[in-house]
Amino acid sequence: MADEILALYCSQVLGQIKPANLFTISNEAYDVDYLIKIWNEDFNKIDIYFTLISKRKNTSSILCFRKANLLESINSKQTKIYLTSCGYQTNNLDTCIKCLQKKLLANNFPHEIGLFLGYPYEDVMGFIENNGKNYLCSGYFKVYKNKQEKLKLFEMYNKVRTEYKAMVDKNIELKNILVKKN
């Protein structure tokens, strides 16, 4: 069951297409703390990490990320400038993630989270500037520029998810595949 969750929600990170994914699972259906512990034991050695971003009564949100890729992403020029203006210290990933956690707990959703998740800068800014309206299309995120390019990106996201799901359906443990690839 744990590999099914990873294939569904983390395949783009596992496949090195995105720096991070955020997903929510049921606290009633899963022992979230145990899952995070096991996943970190299995995947930290290949630079994939899981951290609890927020825990509510019924659900928990988990950030899956590759440290090196996420650090590179949040420190790209435009992203770094914007995140710094929002109060993040992008040079320290742990501090940056803690700041994101605090913002999420404050019940004022930080839309800059898209920058952590590897969404294109222009689309995150378009979302913020347009209050989530006036988008060209919607998929994994709302698109404000370069629609055709983003539709191809969505196809790539879907393809990698399908590939990882097929591995799980064949009872192939993802940790074994990823250790061999890295």
Side-chain angles (χ1 to χ4, degrees):
M1 182 55 83
D3 272 5
E4 289 175 1
I5 295 169
L6 295 177
L8 184 61
Y9 299 118
C10 304
S11 54
Q12 296 88 13
V13 174
L14 302 177
Q16 298 193 51
I17 296 171
K18 289 180 63 195
N21 271 0
L22 181 67
F23 61 99
T24 300
I25 59 174
S26 167
N27 294 333
E28 296 166 9
Y30 303 101
D31 181 343
V32 175
D33 294 326
Y34 177 74
L35 279 178
I36 290 172
K37 177 182 178 284
I38 294 302
W39 287 334
N40 279 322
E41 286 174 4
D42 289 342
F43 294 102
N44 283 181
K45 58 188 161 231
I46 54 172
D47 192 43
I48 299 171
Y49 295 82
F50 299 85
T51 191
L52 184 66
I53 290 292
S54 66
K55 193 168 198 168
R56 294 161 300 285
K57 181 180 177 185
N58 297 319
T59 61
S60 291
S61 294
I62 300 166
L63 185 69
C64 167
F65 60 97
R66 287 184 179 264
K67 275 188 180 181
N69 295 5
L70 184 53
L71 262 173
E72 181 181 336
S73 179
I74 64 174
N75 281 295
S76 65
K77 188 176 181 181
Q78 289 179 305
T79 299
K80 181 180 181 75
I81 291 168
Y82 184 76
L83 289 177
T84 301
S85 77
C86 293
Y88 295 93
Q89 296 175 17
T90 63
N91 293 330
N92 184 309
L93 190 56
D94 291 334
T95 302
C96 208
I97 290 172
K98 283 182 184 11
C99 183
L100 179 62
Q101 288 171 316
K102 287 178 187 174
K103 287 176 178 262
L104 281 166
L105 291 173
N107 282 337
N108 187 8
F109 193 83
H111 294 294
E112 68 271 10
I113 196 169
L115 297 170
F116 285 82
L117 303 177
Y119 298 165
Y121 180 84
E122 69 250 15
D123 295 313
V124 174
M125 292 301 106
F127 183 91
I128 292 169
E129 291 164 5
N130 289 281
N131 294 314
K133 298 175 183 162
N134 305 319
Y135 50 91
L136 302 174
C137 68
S138 181
Y140 285 85
F141 51 86
K142 290 184 177 176
V143 174
Y144 290 86
K145 290 189 177 175
N146 304 316
K147 177 181 174 182
Q148 293 308 314
E149 176 185 312
K150 306 304 171 40
L151 290 173
K152 288 178 185 175
L153 184 61
F154 294 163
E155 286 177 26
M156 185 175 20
Y157 289 175
N158 287 335
K159 181 181 176 194
V160 75
R161 177 181 278 167
T162 300
E163 289 171 0
Y164 278 88
K165 180 76 171 86
M167 285 185 241
V168 170
D169 290 346
K170 292 178 185 175
N171 294 316
I172 298 171
E173 288 188 338
L174 295 181
K175 67 180 178 184
N176 295 333
I177 296 297
L178 292 168
V179 169
K180 288 177 187 174
K181 285 183 176 183
N182 287 296

